[in-house]
Amino acid sequence: MPVLNDTQTGGTIGVVDDLPTGVPCPSHSRDNLERKLVRKIDLRMSVILLLYTMNMIDRSNVSNARLQGFEKDLHLRGQQYATVLSILYVGFLIMQVPGNMFLHWLERPAVFIPSCMIAWGAISVLTGTTTNYTEVLVARFFLGFVEAPFLPGVLFLISGWYKRDELAMRTALLFTGFLFSSAFGSLFASGILHGMQGKLGQAAWRWLFYIEGGVTILIAICAIFILPNFPHNTRWLTPEERSLAISRLLEDGYGKADESGKQTTIQGLWDAVFDWKVWWFSVAFMFQYIAHSFMGYFPTLCSTLGYDTTTTLLLCAPPWAFATIVAFALTWYSDKKQKRYKYFAASNALGTLAFIISIFTMNKAARYISLFLMAQLIAGYLVLWGWVNNTFAREPAKRAVAIALINTIGQIGNIVGPYAWPSKWGPTYRYSYAVSIAAIGVSTTMFGGMHLYLKHLNEQIERNENVKGIEELRGPVGFRYLV
């Protein structure tokens, strides 16, 4: 196994010279081979949809448990429930960057990601055994600790296989798991909470953790045999497929032609830390996550409509089903047009409208419609992650750290966000929605600034290509940032 400062490239660029020579790939057959390759990758990657569904279910099941005695049984008071939500993201802050650096060094996402999943499934089961505030707080902290490598690890994995104009749609397809967990997790939870109360002397909310954690462990074991690694070390690729998988990324601008394979994991860390774009994205994500903090209270917001627990959980599903449709449409169109920011901004505009509606009315129909508009914010979020991968596409080691660092700093928003929804502000939660409007305004403005800056860089690149000869250019000819 390589040492930590060995030359690594995230499994995409640095092994081109090691490929078998003379692999035939006639030009007339390349398109057909590429289509078959992408379908093959898509089929394997589709398991991430299920993994992410379980990730979000295990992360957010406390929101459903809250409706069936979770706070009462654990004797939670005041803002202790908000702390139980936010402590998860402290674990995230600690482990996301080290987790992605380790993945870049290990180059075995098919082992690393499911291993993390087995660990968090076990912790989810143990959460059902907690009896007081301290125990559940410790459980939630370690849940965040072992869940932390999952999201940046999966984003890094898919960016090591797909071209820039394929990423946003693939991100949406793979992360539909979040939408499924929000839509069907509530339906699943309603069945458990309704039917398992008192079974074997256990409260229904405890069974929620037992069952969902156990399912997570079983799925993770299966995922070890399904997930790919990276193009150069995935065994089920043919030599032709492996050559094509690497060359098509090189042609798309992944890795500078004269620097392939030269960037180590540690160099990637330093390059990411000293790139101001990484920090700008990080702070903007932090405010975006604050605007998304309503997600941890979605069943609570649904309960303000005045229905019983089972009906409330059932009503949670349609907004997320709607969000799934919007996410597919928006990311597909974003990839087709190779534009990012304006589609993200459109999603944020609809989310802002939802917050405004909820501030000014308690009408059931209007507030329920606003929940649909809030839920679709996930569509812009998926476009956003496609944009991040595109922006740092050319340096795999740096991209691994940048993804993790952006999400890590962004998680500060998830730590702060739950405190914007105290029970005393309900059932209207007007002040909470006002905080969300302010946060989404800041994030949209900051991402807009990055949009303008990257447009300026594209203009500079174009001028350089017009002035210099091709042999003088360091980067791939025709490379542009997607904006």
Side-chain angles (χ1 to χ4, degrees), residues 10-297:
T12 304
I13 306 303
V15 295
V16 176
D17 294 334
D18 298 329
L19 288 172
T21 58
V23 175
C25 188
S27 57
H28 66 273
S29 66
R30 173 172 168 139
D31 289 346
N32 289 334
L33 181 59
E34 185 167 358
R35 281 193 293 270
K36 291 179 181 178
L37 173 64
V38 172
R39 285 198 297 268
K40 191 174 186 178
I41 298 166
D42 285 343
L43 185 61
R44 291 277 184 160
M45 290 286 196
S46 63
V47 72
I48 297 176
L49 187 156
L50 187 56
L51 304 189
Y52 198 46
T53 298
M54 298 313 300
N55 175 257
M56 294 307 302
I57 285 176
D58 289 333
R59 187 189 306 182
S60 61
N61 48 17
V62 293
S63 299
N64 295 321
R66 189 189 191 195
L67 300 178
Q68 197 73 13
F70 176 81
E71 285 183 287
K72 180 181 178 181
D73 290 352
L74 297 183
H75 313 293
L76 304 186
R77 300 288 184 271
Q79 291 283 65
Q80 288 182 338
Y81 174 76
T83 304
V84 167
L85 288 182
S86 64
I87 194 66
L88 178 93
Y89 300 102
V90 176
F92 272 47
L93 288 174
I94 296 171
M95 272 304 293
Q96 285 201 336
V97 172
N100 241 26
M101 290 180 67
F102 182 73
L103 175 58
H104 177 264
W105 166 72
L106 183 66
E107 296 187 321
R108 294 291 187 274
V111 174
F112 181 64
I113 292 174
S115 296
C116 293
M117 193 173 177
I118 291 171
W120 90 59
I123 292 173
S124 182
V125 171
L126 292 175
T127 304
T129 68
T130 57
T131 59
N132 56 52
Y133 173 64
T134 301
E135 291 177 3
V136 75
L137 201 66
V138 171
R140 291 282 292 178
F141 169 77
F142 283 106
L143 181 65
F145 191 85
V146 296
E147 279 192 355
F150 178 77
L151 176 59
V154 166
L155 288 169
F156 182 51
L157 171 61
I158 65 175
S159 71
W161 284 94
Y162 294 107
K163 296 193 294 186
R164 292 181 300 142
D165 61 356
E166 298 168 343
L167 270 175
M169 183 60 177
R170 287 333 187 275
T171 302
L173 286 168
L174 300 177
F175 286 81
T176 303
F178 171 81
L179 303 170
F180 283 169
S181 71
S182 300
F184 301 110
S186 294
L187 299 179
F188 187 43
S190 68
I192 296 173
L193 295 176
H194 179 72
M196 298 299 291
Q197 180 63 35
K199 300 295 184 182
L200 300 180
Q202 299 286 310
W205 68 263
R206 295 188 185 277
W207 282 108
L208 188 66
F209 289 99
Y210 298 154
I211 294 172
E212 292 179 347
V215 171
T216 295
I217 294 172
L218 292 176
I219 291 173
I221 293 171
C222 296
I224 294 173
F225 304 99
I226 301 173
L227 274 177
N229 288 308
F230 291 108
H232 77 282
N233 65 347
T234 295
R235 295 181 179 179
W236 41 263
L237 290 177
T238 66
E240 293 89 348
E241 290 171 336
R242 180 173 290 107
S243 177
L244 178 57
I246 295 173
S247 64
R248 76 191 204 103
L249 294 181
L250 283 170
E251 293 164 5
D252 193 50
Y254 279 70
K256 296 180 181 179
D258 61 342
E259 295 183 4
S260 296
K262 293 184 180 180
Q263 195 178 47
T264 68
T265 304
I266 299 300
Q267 286 173 336
L269 171 64
W270 289 115
D271 285 352
V273 167
F274 287 103
D275 187 340
W276 71 269
K277 296 192 298 296
V278 172
W279 295 99
W280 190 272
F281 270 118
S282 298
V283 176
F285 261 96
M286 180 180 70
F287 284 100
Q288 188 70 22
Y289 280 137
I290 292 174
H292 287 189
S293 61
F294 71 89
M295 294 180 184
Y297 290 82

Side-chain angles (χ1 to χ4, degrees), residues 401-470:
V401 178
I403 290 170
L405 187 58
I406 289 168
N407 201 46
T408 296
I409 302 301
Q411 295 303 328
I412 295 174
N414 277 328
I415 294 174
V416 174
Y419 294 99
W421 301 87
S423 298
K424 65 182 180 181
W425 285 359
T428 64
Y429 291 102
R430 289 191 177 95
Y431 297 119
S432 306
Y433 290 121
V435 170
S436 297
I437 291 172
I440 208 170
V442 173
S443 70
T444 305
T445 302
M446 290 189 69
F447 285 121
M450 181 60 69
H451 165 75
L452 295 176
Y453 175 71
L454 294 180
K455 283 184 66 176
H456 172 69
L457 287 185
N458 283 342
E459 292 169 359
Q460 283 188 329
I461 293 171
E462 186 170 359
R463 284 196 296 269
N464 288 340
E465 289 181 352
N466 291 334
V467 171
K468 297 181 180 180
I470 291 177

